[in-house]
Amino acid sequence: MNCSDIIKKLYACASEKHKTNVVKMGIPKESSIGVSTADIRRLARETGRSDELAFELWETGYHEARLLAVLLFEKKQLSAADIERLMEDVKSWDLCDHMCKNLIIKRNDYHQFIMKWIHSPRTYEKRAAFTLIASAAIHDKGISDETLDDYLNLIRENSQDEQEHIKKSVSWALREIGKRDFTYNEKAIILAHELKAEGNKTQIWIAKDALKELENLVKAEGRTRLISADSKMGEKAK
């Protein structure tokens, strides 16, 4: 399939319900098609990986075409400059997170983007830095304690931004580090209390939001990471 064929397929899968949801996230109506994530993933499996096709889809400007493009890129063949160029076009939290979780975190050099974007004045670059921290805490099995400690320091030093899409990602990053084990649960809780006691309005919000989960985590049999006590109770009830 070429780019034109795929756009036609996306329109064939579209619904007004999904388009309304996309527009609510701030995507301009003219850039939205209205396709579910499930349909996008199905189409990605049918299409197969191709950097050339992915870039063509990305350049259409359609939100759903860009979500699909992320799944078609050959992760190891893209340069760091390619990633930077793609991120410049990101204008929504869902595309930001989608790129981080399905493309950037799977690269060996994801850490460099955290260190660069954590200081960015651009909303979605900064959100991406915290989203990558959260994703690394979940998925990078070889991540060191030293790196996690560095990430906690980054959270401490860069959590003042009051923008909703950034402060929510900071809370997410802190919570995911705290789910690693009881040692990091304690470290995350200590940091949250420090932010709550000494931080600005945004840091206090982040601390309270994170503590709701961090102080309710338990170890579950068969799980390498901690889970909420409520989740464990739900599993027992099944």
Side-chain angles (χ1 to χ4, degrees):
M1 289 187 290
N2 59 33
C3 182
S4 178
D5 292 334
I6 291 174
I7 296 300
K8 289 177 182 177
K9 279 185 171 287
L10 286 171
Y11 269 104
C13 296
S15 74
E16 284 303 314
K17 176 183 177 181
H18 286 296
K19 185 165 185 174
T20 299
N21 290 339
V22 171
V23 172
K24 282 181 179 179
M25 289 189 290
I27 308 301
K29 192 171 183 180
E30 61 272 17
S31 300
S32 309
I33 297 175
V35 184
S36 71
T37 301
D39 282 331
I40 290 171
R41 289 191 176 279
R42 176 184 55 76
L43 190 52
R45 291 192 294 270
E46 293 176 2
T47 305
R49 296 191 184 280
S50 166
D51 284 346
E52 181 180 359
L53 179 56
F55 276 119
E56 287 182 18
L57 287 167
W58 188 273
E59 292 302 322
T60 66
Y62 287 117
H63 180 65
E64 291 84 355
R66 288 179 169 176
L67 291 172
L68 176 58
V70 168
L71 301 177
L72 301 186
F73 281 120
E74 294 282 0
K75 301 167 182 63
K76 295 181 179 179
Q77 292 184 21
L78 292 180
S79 67
D82 288 330
I83 297 295
E84 295 272 8
R85 182 164 68 85
L86 293 171
M87 184 55 70
E88 289 177 1
D89 290 333
V90 173
K91 300 294 189 294
S92 67
W93 67 266
D94 67 320
L95 181 55
C96 172
D97 293 0
H98 183 68
M99 270 191 64
C100 290
K101 294 187 291 183
N102 293 286
L103 179 60
I104 304 173
I105 196 63
K106 297 181 180 181
R107 296 168 54 92
N108 293 332
D109 61 353
Y110 74 81
H111 179 75
Q112 70 166 298
F113 298 108
I114 294 175
M115 301 309 295
K116 182 172 184 178
W117 292 339
I118 200 84
H119 303 295
S120 175
R122 298 185 68 244
T123 299
Y124 294 109
E125 285 184 351
K126 191 152 193 170
R127 180 183 173 97
F130 290 110
T131 299
L132 286 170
I133 289 174
S135 299
I138 298 168
H139 299 296
D140 189 346
K141 306 304 180 185
I143 196 168
S144 68
D145 290 353
E146 180 181 8
T147 298
L148 286 172
D149 290 339
D150 287 344
Y151 289 163
L152 286 173
N153 285 329
L154 288 176
I155 290 171
R156 178 184 289 107
E157 296 166 3
N158 298 277
S159 53
Q160 302 91 350
D161 197 309
E162 66 183 8
Q163 295 180 78
E164 182 178 8
H165 289 169
I166 293 178
K167 70 180 184 180
K168 286 185 175 181
S169 66
V170 179
S171 172
W172 180 23
L174 183 56
R175 285 182 280 122
E176 294 304 342
I177 292 175
K179 291 177 186 177
R180 177 180 172 87
D181 54 35
F182 284 118
T183 296
Y184 276 93
N185 180 241
E186 182 179 8
K187 288 184 178 184
I189 288 174
I190 289 172
L191 175 54
H193 280 292
E194 289 176 357
L195 295 177
K196 185 178 177 182
E198 304 167 7
N200 65 7
K201 182 179 178 181
T202 297
Q203 290 171 314
I204 292 170
W205 182 93
I206 290 167
K208 289 180 178 179
D209 188 63
L211 285 169
K212 287 185 289 187
E213 187 167 17
L214 289 171
E215 293 184 329
N216 191 39
L217 296 177
V218 296
K219 183 69 176 175
E221 185 177 353
R223 298 288 189 96
T224 57
R225 290 167 52 78
L226 306 182
I227 65 171
S228 72
D230 293 339
S231 296
K232 187 173 183 179
M233 291 296 291
E235 288 181 356
K236 286 183 177 180
K238 289 180 180 178

